[in-house]
Amino acid sequence: MAKLASLKAQTRLLDRRAADQIRTHILDGILPAGQRLLETKLSADLEVSRGTVRSALAQLANEGLVKQVAFTRWEVSGASVSDAWEIYTLRGALEGLGARLAAGNIDEAAGKALRAIAEDLGKAVRRGRYQEAIGFDFDLHTAIVEMARHQRLADQHRYILQQVRFHMVQSGFLPEDYDALMAEHTRLIETVLAGDADNAEKLARSHNDAEVKLLAKRLKEGDGATPAASPKRVRARA
Amino acid sequence: MAKLASLKAQTRLLDRRAADQIRTHILDGILPAGQRLLETKLSADLEVSRGTVRSALAQLANEGLVKQVAFTRWEVSGASVSDAWEIYTLRGALEGLGARLAAGNIDEAAGKALRAIAEDLGKAVRRGRYQEAIGFDFDLHTAIVEMARHQRLADQHRYILQQVRFHMVQSGFLPEDYDALMAEHTRLIETVLAGDADNAEKLARSHNDAEVKLLAKRLKEGDGATPAASPKRVRARA
DNA sequence: GTATTGCTGATTGCTGACAATCCGGCAAGG
DNA sequence: CCTTGCCGGATTGTCAGCAATCAGCAATAC
């Protein structure tokens, strides 16, 4: 008998799917930072009840994409400089642990998968498809973290990468030197696959060091609390 | 003008308070691992509607204390060996980052606060009040992490410490050598307050190493997936 | 006797309506 | 001109009930 696929995936709960929709809109930049979210409007747009929307928003709040002000409003989180600094430093710690553990779990299949993604990334860069490249970049780091076989770490990492993407969209930040980036990735992969835990961790951690240092500097200079966007007195009817 | 406290804290939303109640029961061991949670019963006990209970349970699920099986049941999470390993490794990474950052933020007040907690901890140990001592232990680590001034880190750390406590309750685990523990803490504090980021991180990270190694060994030997408790066919009326 | 199938009670998922709360503007008073 | 108090509208928080789904039992077939 042919193996049938589980239907569970199709029957995702309504509130999860609602959260997926809203999340996608936020991560694609359609809903900008500070944008107010009305339960009734979302409810009408998504054609679900307000309670379901509420559950979805609570989920997104846990992921850090949305903020709740009790009795008053929901809004898309703003990624201030200090937020960005938090995100990148935390990412470093998580990916450091991930790389360390991954180096202890090397196996044939995982190694091939890693190199395959790196290959895709290289191709995308050479063809100037930078948007795709960023996607493969994320895939690569995710793959390494998953090699750690650490559910909680994988979950946290997913959330953090989501916020990284969110911040990139909001700030318009893009990598500059793709060649250096590729070299770093290659070195990281090979170190992991060599089973060198200590150095794998170091490399994974220093991957963001440039950003972190820049952000820390900007934090010290200016007001780190200033949101990227501060839409005041916007009376959107939408 | 004297600084006034926010009133927000008083008007805690009903679902948050419901979550607080349930959380306390879980962390105190009143609700054991694998215990099924019925929305209707909780609703009746807490005298709130089922929707509110639902929201509370969702919150606890995000914290990892409760598991949801769609359309079927909610239950208190079981802390298997692999769960414990995940919790302690993640704790190490988070507290490592916390200690590193804290070492860059030393100030008079924070130093005093840290030493005060260490003092309380010492007293509790000398008086044989081990339950209290564990509380101060947690306070100490929390205080260090808060010195990092990193909101996301603090939040994640709170969740992880919660799970550590959860695991300790479930497995009956208690520290053994309190003198060594005290020494480790003292060394960690002084290293942080000396501003020695590298070593502060190392110490914070190695604080759990013994547990992690033991758990990793047990994981390799046996079945790490086995829950601590597996209550099957319990037809509790409760 | 064992495996399969249909049913039933129990439980969770979702919805619409009601209650509590807050924000913005306006007028009165200093 | 600024502050203070109040009110209306809008928005979120909570509740009770209907619909969808599942685990387990009983009946049937072999």
Side-chain angles (χ1 to χ4, degrees):
Chain A
M1 194 201 297
K3 198 176 173 188
L4 298 177
S6 164
L7 292 181
K8 282 268 179 74
Q10 294 193 5
T11 314
R12 285 203 76 195
L13 263 29
L14 218 45
D15 58 348
R16 313 294 174 91
R17 282 190 285 167
D20 290 344
Q21 290 265 346
I22 302 172
R23 187 187 300 111
T24 303
H25 270 57
I26 293 176
L27 292 180
D28 286 351
I30 299 173
L31 293 171
Q35 170 72 50
R36 181 168 189 180
L37 300 171
L38 294 186
E39 294 182 355
T40 49
K41 178 163 195 318
L42 292 172
S43 162
D45 289 353
L46 297 169
E47 297 181 273
V48 294
S49 99
R50 254 190 63 222
T52 304
V53 168
R54 201 149 226 294
S55 174
L57 288 174
Q59 168 79 17
L60 295 174
N62 270 310
E63 295 175 18
L65 297 180
V66 154
K67 267 191 320 188
Q68 177 181 32
V69 185
F71 286 108
T72 305
R73 63 196 300 154
W74 296 89
E75 63 185 35
V76 178
S77 301
S80 67
V81 174
S82 67
D83 285 323
W85 175 81
E86 288 191 11
I87 293 167
Y88 281 107
T89 47
L90 198 46
R91 179 187 181 183
L94 295 178
E95 292 193 346
L97 174 60
R100 161 176 289 281
L101 295 174
N105 288 337
I106 44 177
D107 75 26
E108 202 62 38
K112 268 193 180 175
L114 241 51
R115 291 204 176 96
I117 299 176
E119 190 59 38
D120 290 338
L121 172 55
K123 268 187 207 160
V125 167
R126 283 194 297 278
R127 290 177 187 168
R129 302 182 155 279
Y130 296 120
Q131 209 58 39
E132 264 182 38
I134 292 175
F136 287 129
D137 184 347
F138 282 13
D139 289 346
L140 188 53
H141 290 285
T142 302
I144 295 175
V145 168
E146 278 176 359
M147 272 181 72
R149 293 177 210 158
H150 191 307
Q151 193 58 52
R152 285 168 176 77
L153 177 62
D155 291 342
Q156 290 309 319
H157 183 253
R158 188 178 326 115
Y159 288 160
I160 277 290
L161 267 199
Q162 217 168 257
Q163 294 191 50
V164 168
R165 187 171 153 203
F166 180 51
H167 177 255
M168 286 172 73
V169 168
Q170 289 201 1
S171 65
F173 172 81
L174 283 177
E176 290 172 7
D177 187 344
Y178 281 92
D179 290 335
L181 204 67
M182 285 294 304
E184 271 189 36
H185 281 146
T186 305
R187 217 165 1 132
L188 172 58
I189 292 177
E190 294 311 325
T191 310
V192 168
L193 293 182
D196 182 350
D198 286 338
N199 283 315
E201 175 178 352
K202 262 185 208 155
L203 286 173
R205 243 216 278 183
S206 61
H207 193 52
N208 299 319
D209 266 1
E211 263 69 54
V212 170
K213 271 179 190 149
L214 178 64
L215 289 167
K217 197 177 147 215
R218 286 215 277 162
L219 247 184
K220 276 204 172 172
E221 286 173 359
D223 40 355
T226 304
S230 55
K232 288 169 184 170
R233 302 189 170 268
V234 175
R235 188 190 291 273
R237 183 146 279 276
Chain B
M1 193 198 302
K3 198 175 171 187
L4 297 176
S6 164
L7 292 180
K8 283 269 180 74
Q10 292 195 4
T11 315
R12 292 263 292 167
L13 262 30
L14 218 45
D15 57 348
R16 312 294 173 92
R17 283 190 284 167
D20 291 344
Q21 290 264 349
I22 302 172
R23 188 187 300 112
T24 303
H25 270 58
I26 294 176
L27 292 180
D28 286 351
I30 299 173
L31 294 170
Q35 170 71 49
R36 180 168 189 181
L37 300 172
L38 294 186
E39 294 181 358
T40 49
K41 178 161 194 320
L42 292 172
S43 163
D45 289 353
L46 298 169
E47 297 181 273
V48 294
S49 100
R50 252 189 64 223
T52 304
V53 168
R54 199 149 231 292
S55 173
L57 288 174
Q59 168 77 20
L60 295 174
N62 271 308
E63 295 175 18
L65 297 181
V66 154
K67 265 192 320 187
Q68 177 182 32
V69 185
F71 288 107
T72 306
R73 62 195 300 153
W74 295 90
E75 63 184 36
V76 178
S77 301
S80 67
V81 175
S82 67
D83 284 323
W85 174 81
E86 287 192 9
I87 292 167
Y88 282 107
T89 48
L90 198 46
R91 179 186 183 185
L94 294 178
E95 292 193 347
L97 174 60
R100 160 176 290 281
L101 294 174
N105 286 339
I106 43 177
D107 74 28
E108 202 63 36
K112 271 194 178 172
L114 241 52
R115 291 203 176 96
I117 299 177
E119 190 60 36
D120 290 339
L121 173 56
K123 271 188 206 159
V125 168
R126 282 194 298 277
R127 290 176 186 170
R129 302 182 154 278
Y130 296 121
Q131 210 57 40
E132 264 182 39
I134 292 175
F136 286 129
D137 184 347
F138 282 13
D139 288 345
L140 188 54
H141 289 286
T142 302
I144 294 177
V145 167
E146 277 175 0
M147 270 182 72
R149 293 177 211 158
H150 191 307
Q151 192 59 51
R152 283 168 178 79
L153 176 62
D155 291 342
Q156 289 311 318
H157 183 253
R158 188 178 325 117
Y159 288 160
I160 277 290
L161 267 199
Q162 215 169 260
Q163 294 191 52
V164 169
R165 187 171 154 203
F166 181 51
H167 176 255
M168 286 173 72
V169 168
Q170 290 201 0
S171 65
F173 171 81
L174 282 178
E176 291 172 8
D177 187 345
Y178 281 92
D179 290 335
L181 205 66
M182 285 293 304
E184 270 190 37
H185 281 147
T186 305
R187 212 160 12 124
L188 173 58
I189 291 176
E190 294 310 324
T191 310
V192 167
L193 294 182
D196 182 350
D198 285 339
N199 283 314
E201 174 178 353
K202 262 186 207 154
L203 286 172
R205 245 216 277 181
S206 62
H207 192 54
N208 299 321
D209 266 1
E211 262 71 52
V212 170
K213 270 177 191 151
L214 177 65
L215 289 167
K217 195 177 149 218
R218 286 216 277 161
L219 245 183
K220 275 204 171 172
E221 287 173 358
D223 41 355
T226 305
S230 54
K232 287 169 184 170
R233 303 191 168 266
V234 175
R235 188 189 293 272
R237 181 147 282 276

